[in-house]
Amino acid sequence: MYLKLIVLLTSVCALVSGSLKLTVVHTNDMHSRIDEINAQSSKCVGDGTNCYGGFARVKKAVDDVRARATQEGRSTIFLNAGDTFQGTTFYTMYKWSLFTPLIDLLGIDVMSLGNHEFDDGPQGLAPYLKNISTPVVACNLDLKPEPLMDNTGITPSKVLKVDGVDVGVIGYLTPETQFLSSVGKVKFLNEVESIKKEAARLTEQGVKLIIALGHSGFNVDKSIAANVPEVDLVIG
């Protein structure tokens, strides 16, 4: 066991694993907020002093963290835990197509899904997945019953080589998505049990650091941390 943490909301944390010094940057629930907003979550006006968020600000902030980490002798990975879809008229008007170039421009290393990614069904998610280069992970989804999800590139986990160390990122998504969104014939499995199996597989392959990245809520995140000893970091 290297280090076990639970990280919630947008955050930056540092892990030290043997000779690896790693900064993990995390975002989730960006909900189509392409533009910056004010404190009341409405249009930003003026010189931008009291404005927040937006994809451009996120990109700049992550680039700054990466640069600072490099100066301090640390590596950086950037993770996203889903719910990019829904929330503004950008999504209402353009659906998935507007976000394929933007997500890739952010430079996310690995991404999991949120329940809102299924709001327009598999037919609204599959083309998005097929047109992004960002790796997407989810270990507790059975996609086989849903033909629209064929060849979408979702894998249970992704192994990143960071300064010679294998870092595994396992994805998960709440089964409540079946009731919150339109999942078609996609089947959902228990998150903790699915992560246990995938973490054991990665450990057998020699992966030294394992991160669980998902969208299931605080209680499930705590359960993962308590019940999957191979997992070093939980990001939800």
Side-chain angles (χ1 to χ4, degrees), residues 36-38 44-52 57:
E36 58 189 2
I37 58 175
N38 63 22
C44 181
V45 295
D47 62 3
T49 302
N50 296 311
C51 297
Y52 310 92
R57 284 176 182 264

Side-chain angles (χ1 to χ4, degrees), residues 21-38:
K21 296 180 180 180
L22 177 64
T23 294
V24 181
V25 185
H26 160 234
T27 58
N28 66 284
D29 290 86
M30 294 177 71
H31 283 300
S32 306
R33 296 290 184 181
I34 295 173
D35 283 342
E36 58 189 2
I37 58 175
N38 63 22

Side-chain angles (χ1 to χ4, degrees), residues 206-224:
V207 175
K208 298 300 183 183
L209 186 67
I210 297 178
I211 300 171
L213 172 71
H215 203 96
S216 288
F218 187 41
N219 288 334
V220 173
D221 295 340
K222 289 192 294 182
S223 182
I224 295 166

Side-chain angles (χ1 to χ4, degrees), residues 68-136:
R68 185 166 64 250
T70 299
Q71 291 175 353
E72 296 172 356
R74 290 178 282 110
S75 297
T76 303
I77 60 174
F78 178 19
L79 306 176
N80 178 278
D83 268 6
T84 299
F85 286 6
Q86 206 61 268
T88 71
T89 53
F90 283 120
Y91 183 77
T92 303
M93 292 295 295
Y94 300 105
K95 302 298 183 181
W96 63 269
S97 63
L98 186 60
F99 298 93
T100 51
L102 293 176
I103 282 294
D104 285 341
L105 283 171
L106 286 178
I108 298 167
D109 293 298
V110 185
M111 179 169 64
S112 62
L113 297 172
N115 55 283
H116 283 290
E117 266 70 75
F118 279 97
D119 278 359
D120 288 298
Q123 64 270 27
L125 174 58
Y128 168 71
L129 296 172
K130 292 178 180 180
N131 283 279
I132 60 174
S133 60
T134 303
V136 178

